[in-house]
Amino acid sequence: MAATTTVHLAEIGQIALTVTNLDQARTFYRDTLGMRFLFDAGTLTFFQCGAVRLMLTTGEGHAAGGGTLLYFRVQDLEGVHAALSAQGVPFEEQPHLIARMPDHELWMAFLKDPSGNLLGLMEEKRSAA
């Protein structure tokens, strides 16, 4: 029998904002607000804002969720997914690899709250050295 994962979401890892013009938004957040630019990935631009990553997107090719998404950082994405699924929480997307970074893999899964807001669960899986 597999161990049961207790779910306690406590840390926001990323917030996504939908913007109308990605180039203008990138310039504003980087040059005007002074946020540390991380990288671009297609129609996505990422910044570091303290302990939280900010993702800007035009929304093209992404699930609609009112324009703002909260991403909760978890340690065991598969375990949290299994525990929430066992409680009847429906997932929009199952845990899956998003990107391979130099020092980790970024995995995510998506669910909706009772009001239809899209929530992301994210795990940065680091390789054992």
Side-chain angles (χ1 to χ4, degrees):
M1 183 173 177
T4 302
T5 299
T6 301
V7 178
H8 177 75
L9 300 181
E11 183 181 356
I12 294 176
Q14 179 169 290
I15 297 174
L17 293 177
T18 301
V19 298
T20 55
N21 183 304
L22 194 59
D23 291 331
Q24 285 179 335
R26 182 186 310 103
T27 299
F28 176 77
Y29 282 88
R30 181 189 60 216
D31 300 343
T32 305
L33 299 184
M35 286 189 189
R36 184 167 61 96
F37 172 76
L38 295 174
F39 61 93
D40 288 321
T43 61
L44 309 173
T45 295
F46 294 87
F47 292 89
Q48 195 64 45
C49 186
V52 177
R53 186 168 50 217
L54 173 64
M55 180 183 89
L56 304 178
T57 178
T58 57
E60 296 173 19
H62 300 280
T68 302
L69 285 84
L70 296 179
Y71 292 80
F72 291 93
R73 192 180 310 272
V74 299
Q75 295 298 316
D76 175 17
L77 182 58
E78 288 81 7
V80 170
H81 174 265
L84 291 174
S85 293
Q87 294 178 51
V89 174
F91 277 77
E92 296 288 308
E93 293 186 24
Q94 305 302 307
H96 60 284
L97 177 67
I98 296 292
R100 292 188 202 296
M101 308 303 271
D103 63 341
H104 68 278
E105 291 182 346
L106 178 59
W107 285 73
M108 292 189 181
F110 294 91
L111 61 132
K112 286 193 176 178
D113 73 6
S115 297
N117 295 304
L118 192 64
L119 303 175
L121 302 177
M122 60 185 282
E123 179 181 4
E124 295 178 348
K125 296 183 181 189
R126 305 203 181 269
S127 302

